[in-house]
Amino acid sequence: MTRKISFSEAINEAMKLAMRKDENVILLGEDVAGGAAVDHLQDDEAWGGVMGVTKGLVQEFGRDRVLDTPIAEAGYIGASVTAAATGLRPIAELMFNDFIGSCLDEVMNQAAKLRYMFGGKAKVPLTIRTMHGAGFRAAAQHSQSLYALFTHIPGLKVVIPSTPQDAKGLLLSSIFDDDPVIFFEDKTLYNMKGEVEEGFYTIPIGKADIKREGSDLTIVAIGKQVHTALKAANMLADKGIEAEVVDPRSLSPLDEETILSSVAKTGRLIVIDEANPRCSAATDISALVADKGFDYLDAPIKMITAPHSPVPFSPVLEDLYLPTPEKVLKVVAEMIGDETIVTV
Amino acid sequence: MTVMKPEMKSLTREKAKWMYEKMCEIRQFEDKVHEIFSKGVLPGFVHLYAGEEAVAVGVCAHLDEKDSITSTHRGHGHCIAKGCDLNGMMAEIYGKATGLCKGKGGSMHIADVEKGMLGANGIVGGGFPLAVGAALTAKLKKTGAVAVCFFGDGANNHGTFHEGINLAAIWKLPVIFVAENNGYAEATPFAYASSCKNIADRAIAYNIPGEIVDGKDVVAVYEAAERAILRARNGEGPTLIECKTYRNYGHFEGDAQKYKTAEEKEKHIKEWDAIAKFRRYVLSQQLLTEQELHEIERKVIETVKNAVEFAEQSPFPQAEDLLKDVYVSYQ
């Protein structure tokens, strides 16, 4: 059974189900409930998260399991690492992924490396949920997409859902995974609605999903850009070109097989990634195909990304900054040498 | 040879006039942004400073352009008190090319380095080390300048608070750390999030003076800031001043503020209003007349109205601006 709920509600539901299933699952972060120790609130919340994603959890699970933290990311993210290593299964919310600057050591040098350094004698079942993405007019320190930073670090898993159904199943997998997972939520997707299964289900981390089948070219897109790819694919279909849209859903581990099989079928690859272009998910996926799938290619690989600049505040500049279906069509036109594609 | 050291001065008529005008400008600016934001015209997040005017104004009354300040996400008040142009500020909030940051920064990143305003900041706790760096420059280059770090009660639990203040203390840098304790970090009360009763109590750990001030009383802030700035200019190192204050609006626009009570809002916003208090003070001290105050109030409404018109009529940035200023020279 499915019903239509939002991306935000799907994430909320995953946390609720996980907390019901396992008392070791706790949630901590800045204002995940809000109003801690305010007399007239008690187990009522003031916020339920800055975007309301954690609403209602404190009412059901109480303030012992839904912990508001001071604004001290190094403190509570670091504490989550060893809370995980010593028996809890924390979901730590890093409000914006940009705030990783305040706690990178705890993630990069502690969470990611404990198991390896200790010869496999520790595990860190920690999920860090964090908001990313441009398009919200939130300017340079609240709009980045920093998943490549974490993908670079062995020991971390990196998950980026693009639909409510994927978000719920992947978050449940992340919470019950025994390794540290960084779970990215695009803030501009929270209100997006989609069909979501009821009850507990998981989607395996490391398994890409083909969001649209096609035979003429492959578009691999990350997170919200899956929707840019799907829009472009529909526009291309009107011109008689069938694009296959592959959503990796996790960058670490990366489902190399699905990406390579798709390119083997279509002979062409475009990667859409709204993050900055250098040392990025886009370059990583392109390198994968250049390295292991060169013989499949009928045309050079193309990447559609943000430019190598911070995210600008002004709406006119931010709109130019992001990938669009029109940009995709332009690239496809060049790729197949048919300029008529971009004309409406 | 006698070394001339700066000394304490009493509040002059001219200074009082400037302070009243700046406080009114901040209030009027923020009320106007609140009004415009509610119409859905403005992009992004805005965090309003209304209610806390006495802090920025009482401190910045002692500063000139060579002195630096660091600010927070709630930075409009600091910008105005430090002399930023209101037209440029409003245009920045609208994302226009004529904004102080050419539309690149927005409300949360307004800056004007020439005025010594080193930026509002989207990262809580971001300002501590930044103020320390500006003070290091002042010390090594012997400019006589000071750096003021404005920060909220939320930031006092951030690791950078400790690292920044400790560094300023061991190097005896001319920094004034000014806590704006408005009672809430977003939706979390100060008393829940902080192990100390007062932020100023933490000064003892760094062996520097810590002082608690009524942040609604601009004269009290002015006097405390003067003592701290004199110490800093005289090479005696940093001071931590905690101003107890209140924000009249939510953490950001759109915050339902369920954590506040009606009684506290009534007290802080109506009874203890900083601008009304200072108004009574300047009249009772015969520093300014009723007519002069009226004149300032009238002028401020005009100034802010002009700023909105300027912002609305300004052009947006051009496509080629997207890649400007990533580096000094991009190529």
Side-chain angles (χ1 to χ4, degrees), chain A residues 72-139:
Chain A
E73 293 85 5
Y76 79 84
I77 296 283
S80 301
V81 176
T82 41
T86 55
L88 293 174
R89 197 170 275 283
I91 308 166
E93 180 176 300
L94 180 64
M95 192 183 285
F96 290 85
N97 76 158
D98 315 69
F99 301 171
I100 191 63
S102 294
C103 57
L104 187 55
D105 182 73
E106 287 65 30
V107 179
M108 175 177 77
N109 284 326
Q110 314 301 339
K113 295 178 172 59
L114 285 199
R115 182 173 182 80
Y116 189 80
M117 293 190 302
F118 298 174
K121 290 181 181 163
K123 62 178 186 181
V124 182
L126 163 66
T127 302
I128 299 177
R129 292 179 39 245
T130 191
M131 212 183 338
H132 76 106
F136 210 71
R137 317 315 187 198

Side-chain angles (χ1 to χ4, degrees), chain B residues 103-121:
Chain B
K104 294 279 184 64
S107 166
M108 239 185 321
H109 307 293
I110 302 182
D112 191 345
V113 175
E114 283 175 16
K115 300 265 188 208
M117 167 54 195
L118 300 185
N121 206 311

Side-chain angles (χ1 to χ4, degrees), chain A residues 30-31 33-38 40-41 44-47 50-51 59 67-74 95-96 98-99 102 136-142 187 307-318 320-321, chain B residues 43-45 92-96 102-109 121-124 154-155 157-159 184-189 192-193 251-252 255-261 316-319 321-323 326-327 330:
Chain A
E30 292 153 2
D31 291 304
V38 171
H40 66 269
L41 288 175
D44 193 3
E45 69 213 353
W47 276 12
V50 66
M51 306 290 273
Q59 282 94 331
L67 294 133
D68 282 338
T69 67
I71 303 175
E73 293 85 5
M95 192 183 285
F96 290 85
D98 315 69
F99 301 171
S102 294
F136 210 71
R137 317 315 187 198
Q141 294 175 342
H142 289 73
K187 58 178 92 63
H308 186 57
S309 87
V311 181
F313 167 67
S314 187
V316 290
L317 296 181
E318 194 179 29
L320 290 170
Y321 185 87
Chain B
F45 312 134
E92 189 58 38
I93 292 168
Y94 272 76
K96 297 295 182 78
K102 301 176 188 171
K104 294 279 184 64
S107 166
M108 239 185 321
H109 307 293
N121 206 311
I123 305 299
V124 170
N157 302 308
H158 205 267
Y184 301 98
E186 301 179 346
T188 295
Y192 168 81
H251 165 64
F252 48 31
D255 175 5
Q257 304 178 73
K258 276 171 71 179
Y259 46 88
K260 291 182 177 174
T261 64
F316 279 109
Q318 303 284 309
D321 296 327
L322 181 57
L323 294 182
V326 180
Y327 301 96
Y330 194 86

Side-chain angles (χ1 to χ4, degrees), chain B residues 305-316:
Chain B
K305 187 167 158 269
N306 291 341
V308 173
E309 280 174 18
F310 175 81
E312 286 180 349
Q313 287 162 12
S314 289
F316 279 109

